């Protein structure tokens, strides 16, 4: 991507690090895990870190590389995505001359950030990354990403006969709004920091508002 040097500025005061890591940071063609996603997660993470503490340099590297391996939502390897990303991040940072003591917390944060991996974050930086990434999955942006991914996967928006799955099993592979119940509404209960929980409550309300407006219109 030719705009990478410009995008690095968005990760200030870690623009120099971002310039080195952005070429490895995401796969082209996935608009739900692109540069804009990384920037939003960085803003979320920096906001949480300002209140909760933690090593901002470790956090910056973890944010930049948390999606450095792309695995499609419908892939049987989906649960392995964060492990693969952590392994690749380790190789990238090692190649840049980082010390093992600094690489290890970055890799741990990346390994445990994923909902699909279902691993508990043990460090503050890992908890912040998980919260920051999950904030981007709820709220207005979360709804937009949900519909975008549904389109990429060939899903419909909703079941025209039973939108809320009152008489059928939920199926988020077939219908986008089923994903609100199968995953998105569940995310707010799992935030690890007090700041993250507060922000998640606000965004959860917005997400429910999006669904309510959609149901009203259909």
């Amino acid at each position: 991507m030719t705009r990478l040097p410009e995008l690095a500025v968005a990760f200030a005061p870690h623009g120099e690090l971002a310039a080195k890591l952005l070429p490895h940071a995401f796969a082209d063609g996935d608009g739900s895990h692109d540069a804009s996603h990384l920037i939003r997660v960085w803003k979320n993470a920096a906001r949480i870190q300002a209140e909760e503490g933690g090593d901002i340099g470790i956090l910056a590297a973890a944010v930049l590389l948390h999606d450095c391996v792309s695995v499609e939502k419908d892939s049987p390897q989906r649960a392995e995505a964060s492990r693969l990303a952590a392994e690749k991040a380790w190789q990238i940072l090692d190649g840049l001359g980082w010390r093992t003591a600094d690489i290890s917390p970055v890799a741990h944060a990346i390994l445990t950030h994923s909902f699909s991996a279902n691993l508990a974050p043990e460090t503050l930086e890992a908890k912040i990354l998980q919260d920051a990434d999950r904030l981007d999955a709820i709220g207005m942006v979360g709804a937009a990403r949900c519909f975008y991914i549904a389109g990429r996967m060939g899903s419909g928006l909703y079941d025209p006969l039973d939108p809320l799955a009152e008489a059928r099993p939920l199926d988020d592979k077939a219908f986008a709004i089923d994903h609100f119940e199968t995953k998105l509404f569940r995310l707010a209960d799992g935030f690890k920091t007090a700041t993250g929980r507060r922000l998640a409550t606000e965004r959860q309300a917005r997400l429910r508002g999006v669904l309510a407006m959609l149901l009203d219109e259909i």
Side-chain angles (χ1 to χ4, degrees):
M1 179 184 286
T2 58
R3 298 179 61 205
L4 289 183
E6 300 171 45
L7 292 170
V9 177
F11 295 88
H14 298 281
E16 184 176 346
L17 176 65
K20 294 176 182 178
L21 298 185
L22 278 170
H24 311 282
F26 52 86
D28 290 333
D30 182 357
S32 64
H33 294 93
D34 57 1
S36 63
H37 169 67
L38 291 182
I39 292 170
R40 291 191 304 270
V41 173
W42 168 243
K43 289 179 178 178
N44 292 339
R47 184 175 180 183
I48 296 171
Q49 188 274 340
E51 297 188 35
E52 303 283 342
D55 188 316
I56 194 67
I58 296 297
L59 193 55
V63 168
L64 283 157
L65 295 177
H66 78 280
D67 283 333
C68 65
V69 172
S70 178
V71 179
E72 285 287 8
K73 294 286 187 183
D74 58 353
S75 169
Q77 276 197 301
R78 180 62 187 171
E80 296 296 310
S82 62
R83 179 184 62 81
L84 296 171
E87 291 174 356
K88 183 177 177 181
W90 192 292
Q91 295 171 359
I92 292 167
L93 295 174
D94 184 57
L96 292 174
W98 278 46
R99 300 180 308 150
T100 298
D102 293 327
I103 298 175
S104 183
V106 174
H108 172 71
I110 293 171
L111 175 66
T112 58
H113 87 276
S114 170
F115 181 85
S116 301
N118 195 29
L119 297 171
E122 297 177 1
T123 65
L124 179 56
E125 293 79 15
K127 292 174 183 178
I128 292 173
L129 175 63
Q130 188 182 97
D131 282 4
D133 187 56
R134 292 186 181 186
L135 281 173
D136 206 51
I138 55 180
M140 186 61 237
V141 170
R145 292 177 70 207
C146 177
F147 293 131
Y148 167 83
I149 293 169
R152 287 187 70 233
M153 298 290 101
S155 303
L157 289 177
Y158 58 89
D159 183 337
L161 299 179
D162 188 3
L164 290 178
E166 295 172 324
R168 63 173 176 83
L170 289 163
D171 183 359
D172 60 358
K173 290 182 173 58
F175 307 113
I177 69 168
D178 282 24
H179 195 60
F180 284 49
E181 289 292 346
T182 60
K183 179 180 179 182
L184 302 187
F185 288 151
R186 295 166 54 196
L187 291 178
D189 293 332
F191 278 71
K192 299 299 189 292
T193 67
T195 307
R197 287 191 291 273
R198 187 185 75 243
L199 296 172
T201 298
E202 297 170 2
R203 296 201 186 189
Q204 178 89 321
R206 295 177 195 168
L207 188 64
R208 290 193 180 280
V210 170
L211 181 59
M213 288 187 288
L214 177 65
L215 292 172
D216 179 68
E217 292 186 10
I218 64 176

